[in-house]
Amino acid sequence: MQANPKLTWRDLQHLIVNTSRKTDRSDRDWQVNGANYHVNHKYGFGVLDAAALVNTAMSSNWKTAAEQHKCREQEKIDNKEILPSGTFTSSIFSTGCYGKQDCVTKLEHVRIYISLKHPRRGSLRITLISPSGTKSILLDRKS
């Protein structure tokens, strides 16, 4: 923040993503997301490069993030039983509020609320898959 007092919390998030470096290249969970960044379930966007972050924040090329738009989709209720050895898939299609004043053109955050009953939460895995195919594990099985 001392490097550029005009930074917002969203600018800082963008700077972290833009300047982080891939770490543990041997890990097989690295994937390239829809915005062409390397991301990993365990390491996020990688190791923070503080020098690169500060240099980028001080650069005359850095532009503050545009106004944030929020889109809330209709709630979806699936009243299904998850069998002990089976899987359950639920899909939600989002238009990003296309055609409305707060149309989302770049995705920064996703907030998901899940309510479920299951006798063994540790046996569940919940994965969010983006339209580009990026997989984000929201809840992983316990060994």
Side-chain angles (χ1 to χ4, degrees):
M1 298 300 288
Q2 287 177 332
N4 184 343
K6 295 178 184 175
L7 294 176
T8 67
W9 67 271
R10 288 180 50 238
D11 291 328
L12 193 54
Q13 286 185 337
H14 288 272
L15 284 163
I16 290 169
V17 170
N18 285 313
T19 60
S20 290
R21 292 180 286 113
K22 190 174 172 183
T23 186
D24 192 4
R25 295 180 184 276
S26 64
D27 191 285
R28 294 179 181 205
D29 287 339
W30 285 103
Q31 55 188 319
V32 177
N33 69 11
N36 208 29
Y37 291 107
H38 285 93
V39 65
N40 182 294
H41 173 63
K42 293 181 282 251
Y43 301 111
F45 291 99
V47 66
L48 185 65
D49 185 337
L53 189 150
V54 170
N55 289 337
T56 304
M58 291 175 29
S59 166
S60 60
N61 295 332
W62 180 255
K63 303 287 185 243
T64 299
E67 181 184 351
Q68 184 180 27
H69 296 269
K70 296 179 183 179
C71 175
R72 184 178 179 129
E73 291 294 345
Q74 221 28 25
E75 150 180 329
K76 181 176 182 186
I77 298 174
D78 288 312
N79 193 8
K80 307 256 179 159
E81 181 178 354
I82 304 171
L83 300 174
S85 62
T87 61
F88 167 71
T89 301
S90 180
S91 299
I92 297 174
F93 176 77
S94 173
T95 64
C97 297
Y98 180 77
K100 296 182 181 175
Q101 183 178 356
D102 281 339
C103 176
V104 174
T105 57
K106 292 183 180 179
L107 188 62
E108 294 179 16
H109 304 94
V110 174
R111 190 179 295 176
I112 298 173
Y113 299 94
I114 299 172
S115 298
L116 57 86
K117 285 183 5 185
H118 194 274
R120 291 187 39 191
R121 185 184 109 168
S123 66
L124 295 177
R125 180 178 220 189
I126 300 175
T127 306
L128 173 68
I129 304 173
S130 75
S132 66
T134 304
K135 294 181 181 179
S136 299
I137 299 170
L138 306 181
L139 177 69
D140 209 355
R141 292 182 194 97
K142 303 294 179 208
S143 313

